[in-house]
Amino acid sequence: MIKLLKYACIAFATFLLVPESMAQSGTYYTVRDLEMWSSVGLKYKVDKKLSFSFEQQLRLRDDVSNVDIYFSELGLNYKFNKQLSFGLAGRFIRDNDDVGKIQGYENHFRWNADLGYQHKVSDFDFSYRFRYQSKNELGISEFVPTNVVRLKYGVDYNFKKWKFDPEFSTEIFREIQPDSEFDKIRFTLGTTYKTKNIGDFGAFYRMEKELTGLYPKTTNIVGLKYRYTLKRKKDEK
C-alpha cells in the first residue's frame, strides 16, 4: 500500500511537470490561472442514514482578482449501509460572464445525483463516487443542458493522535455527447480539522487540467471551507 501511494505521488508530480500544449512548430504554450474557492456549509443529520446539507460558495478566478461564480446548493444524502450511499443536490448559480458583447451575471441551475462507496483498509479510508450532473441556463428556452459524468477516487490516511489527516482525490470528467471523451481531470490534496462544538474547518490545493483543445488550460486552486453539523437530540449520544 505504501508503495502504491509512492507511485501515485510520482505520477502526480510528473503530470504537473508535463507542458500544457505543444504547437506543430514545436513551441510550447502554457495556459494557467489561479483560483480561490471558499465555502460555508450546514449539515443536518436526521439519523444515522439520512442527512441534509446547505452550502454557499464563492469562486474567484483570473489570479484571484475577479468573481467567477457564486452559488447556493441544497442536498441530501442517504446511507444504505456503512459502505454504500446515494446523494442528490440542486445548485442555483450566478455566473459572471465577462466575454462577448453581452456581459453580466447569468443565472444557471445544476442538479446532480451521486452513488458512493467507501471502505477501510487498516488506517486508510478509500472512497469512490459516480456523479451524473446536468446544468442549464435559466430564462433561455433554446439553451441545451450540459450533461456530464464524473468519476472520483479518494483516499484518506488516519494518523494516530493527529487531527490534520491528509486527504487525496482524483476526479475525471466527461461530457455526454456524440464522440465525446474525457475532457478534464482534477487532483486534490487537503485536510480537515474537526471539532465537536464549532464545526469542521478544511483547506485544500487542487490542480485542474483540461485534456482536450489546442491549448489545454491548467488551473491551480486553493480552497478554504467550513461546515457545521446539527444532529437530532436522540442521535447526539
Side-chain angles (χ1 to χ4, degrees):
M1 186 60 66
I2 299 298
K3 288 184 178 180
L4 180 62
L5 289 177
K6 181 173 69 175
Y7 293 149
C9 292
I10 293 173
F12 179 48
T14 303
F15 190 83
L16 286 173
L17 295 175
V18 173
E20 269 55 69
S21 181
M22 183 175 70
Q24 293 182 354
S25 63
T27 302
Y28 288 92
Y29 294 89
T30 300
V31 182
R32 293 183 182 273
D33 191 16
L34 174 64
E35 297 187 1
M36 183 173 183
W37 297 3
S38 55
S39 65
V40 176
L42 177 66
K43 181 179 180 180
Y44 176 63
K45 295 185 67 175
V46 179
D47 52 36
K48 293 182 178 180
K49 290 188 174 183
L50 179 64
S51 63
F52 294 91
S53 62
F54 178 76
E55 180 180 306
Q56 289 283 131
Q57 186 170 140
L58 171 67
R59 298 181 180 179
L60 305 177
R61 56 173 165 80
D62 301 330
D63 293 332
V64 200
S65 61
N66 292 314
V67 173
D68 183 19
I69 64 171
Y70 61 91
F71 63 80
S72 302
E73 180 175 290
L74 183 64
L76 67 85
N77 184 268
Y78 183 82
K79 293 184 177 181
F80 298 100
N81 50 48
K82 291 183 178 180
Q83 288 78 37
L84 188 64
S85 64
F86 172 78
L88 190 65
R91 178 181 296 183
F92 175 72
I93 304 168
R94 293 279 285 166
D95 191 333
N96 183 18
D97 181 6
D98 57 1
V99 178
K101 294 182 179 180
I102 301 177
Q103 300 184 15
Y105 281 94
E106 301 171 346
N107 296 324
H108 294 255
F109 179 77
R110 197 196 85 180
W111 69 269
N112 61 264
D114 300 341
L115 185 63
Y117 181 81
Q118 63 182 25
H119 65 98
K120 293 177 65 69
V121 178
S122 185
D123 292 326
F124 292 91
D125 291 323
F126 295 93
S127 61
Y128 315 86
R129 187 186 73 188
F130 172 84
R131 168 172 288 184
Y132 174 86
Q133 69 180 42
S134 181
K135 182 180 177 183
N136 196 6
E137 183 174 353
L138 300 177
I140 300 181
S141 58
E142 66 272 15
F143 188 88
V144 178
T146 302
N147 303 315
V148 177
V149 292
R150 299 163 56 168
L151 305 175
K152 184 178 181 180
Y153 164 76
V155 57
D156 304 349
Y157 184 79
N158 181 24
F159 285 99
K160 295 181 180 179
K161 298 181 180 180
W162 177 255
K163 290 192 174 183
F164 296 94
D165 294 336
E167 306 163 355
F168 175 77
S169 67
T170 181
E171 186 172 20
I172 194 164
F173 297 65
R174 182 171 184 170
E175 187 174 343
I176 303 175
Q177 59 180 354
D179 301 323
S180 65
E181 56 187 8
F182 290 108
D183 51 27
K184 185 169 64 177
I185 191 169
R186 283 178 181 171
F187 295 97
T188 304
L189 181 63
T191 188
T192 301
Y193 181 80
K194 299 180 179 180
T195 68
K196 291 183 179 180
N197 299 320
I198 59 176
D200 302 338
F201 300 85
F204 63 86
Y205 163 74
R206 174 172 293 156
M207 189 198 73
E208 182 176 280
K209 186 178 179 66
E210 295 178 352
L211 302 176
T212 59
L214 185 58
Y215 305 125
K217 180 181 178 181
T218 295
T219 304
N220 296 291
I221 303 163
V222 291
L224 298 173
K225 54 185 180 179
Y226 169 78
R227 187 174 70 178
Y228 186 79
T229 300
L230 293 171
K231 301 179 182 179
R232 294 184 66 181
K233 290 184 178 180
K234 67 176 183 179
D235 297 320
E236 288 180 350
K237 294 183 180 180

